[in-house]
Amino acid sequence: MKMQKYLWGQKAKSLLLLSGLILSAGCSSIQFVPPYDDQLDKDVTALQTATETFLVKIEREGSSSPDDYKKNYTDFYDKEKVAISGLEVRAGAVAVNDQTEGQIKILNDLIGKMETRHKDSGLSVIDATQYEQDLNRVFRAILTLEIAKKSVGTTTNSSH
Amino acid sequence: MSFNITPQMITNMEQAAAGSLVAGGQAAADYASHEFQQFAEDVDHIQDMLQAGTITQQDAQYYVNLQKSSMQAVLLTVQGLGMIAVQNAINAALAVLTTALGAALKVAL
């Protein structure tokens, strides 16, 4: 009788262990980084194009004064802010997306600094060139990480 | 039905994980190397402009601060690439285990 109880106990333990293994193996993937988001990729690429177009124009024109900022460029900065806000919301809506969220904050900070400089003292060609280097570095960083996420999986749903 | 974790299975898990780690680590190293090189050149150019009197000390500091901000985004990418490599390595090893367990149970997991 004791032996039978012992054997049943052993069987129960084995079943429990097997169930645990099946559960852990069946749900067999962990996630530190979210899947690739094609909409974020497209939105960041579109924002890079708009920003680059603006900076190339400033470089070609030689400079842009605070007056020029008021007359011609407040709309550009408004559009940039709206686009970045959209990126922030989209990146923040995804779990374990800390790196991308951090990068978008840096992008927002740089665009904000560029606007402040443009408004207060204008943008010189050197300013525009420096911002071009820095902003493109950030855009490249965001896109490099996003494209690398393709090895994790793909999210194709669009929020736009 | 029996399920044993054999030395061969452990070797397969190790190989699967190592492949993902090496590929991911290489991608992170290549990216970081390119960006650090570019950063060094950009800061060097700021130094040249300062020495030539093209920009003021204040401007130079301002531009270097911008460079430092943008490099934080690079570091976040390097961190992310590392995490993707580790994640893919662990998942590759788990996939070997899942396949072996599925074969032992004769079910797809």
Side-chain angles (χ1 to χ4, degrees):
Chain A
M1 189 64 178
K2 270 188 177 176
M3 188 65 178
Q4 208 171 6
K5 264 190 175 176
Y6 172 75
L7 285 175
W8 274 110
Q10 287 300 99
K11 275 188 179 177
K13 276 183 191 172
S14 300
L15 269 172
L16 208 62
L17 185 65
L18 187 62
S19 305
L21 268 174
I22 290 169
L23 273 175
S24 64
C27 310
S28 64
S29 72
I30 52 141
Q31 195 175 48
F32 303 136
V33 177
Y36 167 74
D37 181 345
D38 70 340
Q39 190 60 49
L40 190 125
D41 184 343
K42 285 174 191 161
D43 291 348
V44 169
T45 303
L47 185 61
Q48 189 278 332
T49 305
T51 309
E52 183 70 14
T53 303
F54 161 76
L55 289 166
V56 166
K57 192 176 174 206
I58 299 289
E59 286 168 21
R60 185 165 44 78
E61 289 175 353
S63 64
S64 179
S65 66
D67 279 348
D68 195 27
Y69 161 82
K70 281 182 200 154
K71 283 180 200 159
N72 300 316
Y73 291 112
T74 51
D75 187 49
F76 162 76
Y77 286 106
D78 287 348
K79 283 180 182 165
E80 293 271 300
K81 282 178 200 166
V82 170
I84 292 172
S85 172
L87 290 173
E88 278 178 333
V89 170
R90 187 166 182 95
V94 179
V96 292
N97 209 11
D98 299 353
Q99 284 74 28
T100 300
E101 281 186 78
Q103 290 172 324
I104 293 168
K105 282 196 179 95
I106 292 167
L107 183 63
N108 192 30
D109 182 51
L110 281 174
I111 296 286
K113 281 180 178 162
M114 183 166 72
E115 182 176 16
T116 301
R117 190 160 176 100
H118 199 170
K119 187 164 52 179
D120 293 347
S121 54
L123 288 181
S124 66
V125 173
I126 295 175
D127 286 337
T129 309
Q130 290 296 315
Y131 271 107
E132 190 178 18
Q133 285 174 2
D134 298 321
L135 287 167
N136 277 337
R137 179 176 290 132
V138 177
F139 283 123
R140 205 160 53 238
I142 296 171
L143 291 174
T144 299
L145 180 57
E146 203 55 43
I147 290 165
K149 290 176 187 171
K150 283 183 177 177
S151 70
V152 176
T154 302
T155 304
T156 52
N157 59 320
S158 167
S159 68
H160 298 274
Chain B
M1 194 279 301
S2 70
F3 179 72
N4 297 316
I5 296 184
T6 62
Q8 183 58 49
M9 192 191 303
I10 290 170
T11 303
N12 291 345
M13 287 171 75
E14 281 173 1
Q15 284 175 348
S20 293
L21 268 181
V22 169
Q26 188 61 51
D30 289 348
Y31 167 74
S33 170
H34 172 74
E35 289 296 343
F36 291 153
Q37 175 71 31
Q38 191 63 53
F39 173 68
E41 287 173 16
D42 292 345
V43 171
D44 198 38
H45 182 56
I46 292 169
Q47 181 70 23
D48 288 346
M49 288 192 293
L50 178 63
Q51 281 175 351
T54 317
I55 58 172
T56 64
Q57 179 71 44
Q58 197 181 6
D59 283 337
Q61 189 59 59
Y62 179 80
Y63 296 145
V64 169
N65 287 343
L66 293 180
Q67 296 274 346
K68 282 158 67 178
S69 287
S70 65
M71 280 306 286
Q72 287 176 16
V74 170
L75 295 178
L76 283 170
T77 292
V78 174
Q79 186 186 37
L81 292 175
M83 288 169 74
I84 289 171
V86 171
Q87 176 175 317
N88 287 344
I90 293 172
N91 286 338
L94 281 175
V96 171
L97 183 64
T98 305
T99 305
L101 194 55
L105 296 172
K106 296 189 170 46
V107 292
L109 294 175

